[in-house]
């Protein structure tokens, strides 16, 4: 590792969809709430992955209007978000390879396989979206 920040690519549709909180009523708003919740991770890091991190949130469909904020770059997919994620991972692999780590956050098995083929690591949505406290 060269000390460059780790690239973290978040599959917005998959992470947002992992919690049934009514996100389907406002897809853009749900993506923006996820984006905003990712901001602290850019400097603080994630469990087992110290900051700073370069965070990229990939959005698609109705969420494409969500914009970037300091700490989180938003990339809007023209088509399928998975294809853009793989394109970003392939770009990472060709630019830096083993000199810089890449983590893709998704629960999508097919996307995980595609990203891992380029050398990226993968983690599930709970990495960036812990389960809400249970109501007893």
């Amino acid at each position: 590792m060269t000390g460059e920040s780790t690239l973290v690519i978040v599959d917005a549709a998959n992470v947002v969809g992992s919690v049934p909180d009514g996100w389907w009523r406002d897809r853009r708003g749900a993506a923006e709430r996820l984006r905003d919740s990712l901001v602290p991770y850019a400097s603080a890091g994630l469990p087992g992955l110290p900051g700073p991190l370069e965070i990229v949130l990939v959005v698609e469909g109705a969420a494409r209007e969500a914009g970037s904020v300091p700490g989180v770059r938003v990339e809007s997919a023209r088509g399928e978000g998975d294809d853009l994620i793989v394109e970003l991972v392939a770009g990472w692999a060709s630019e830096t390879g083993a000199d810089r780590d890449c983590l893709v956050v998704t629960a999508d098995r097919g996307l995980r396989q595609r990203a891992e083929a380029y050398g990226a690591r993968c983690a599930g949505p709970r990495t960036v979206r812990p389960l809400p406290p249970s109501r007893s």
Side-chain angles (χ1 to χ4, degrees):
M1 296 302 238
T2 63
E4 283 191 69
S5 61
T6 297
L7 175 61
V8 177
I9 303 171
V10 180
D11 180 354
N14 189 269
V15 174
V16 165
S18 70
V19 177
D21 61 1
W23 59 264
W24 51 89
R25 290 188 289 268
D26 180 12
R27 293 170 194 259
R28 177 182 174 180
E32 289 171 340
R33 286 188 297 279
L34 173 60
R35 176 203 60 203
D36 294 347
S37 76
L38 296 173
V39 170
Y41 297 130
S43 59
L46 291 164
L49 194 61
L53 304 175
E54 178 186 353
I55 300 178
V56 179
L57 180 67
V58 175
V59 296
E60 62 185 44
R64 278 195 307 242
E65 299 300 317
S68 298
V69 296
V72 180
R73 186 175 91 229
V74 176
E75 291 283 339
S76 298
R78 287 183 225 104
E80 292 292 321
D82 291 5
D83 294 337
L84 178 55
I85 290 168
V86 172
E87 183 180 315
L88 292 169
V89 171
W92 158 81
S94 68
E95 290 173 14
T96 60
D99 291 338
R100 181 178 182 211
D101 201 10
C102 179
L103 177 70
V104 175
V105 179
T106 185
D108 182 313
R109 280 184 251 154
L111 176 55
R112 282 175 173 247
Q113 289 175 340
R114 293 170 67 191
E116 288 169 348
Y118 285 100
R121 293 185 306 128
C122 296
R126 289 186 195 170
T127 304
V128 296
R129 190 168 186 179
L131 289 175
S134 61
R135 298 178 194 174
S136 303

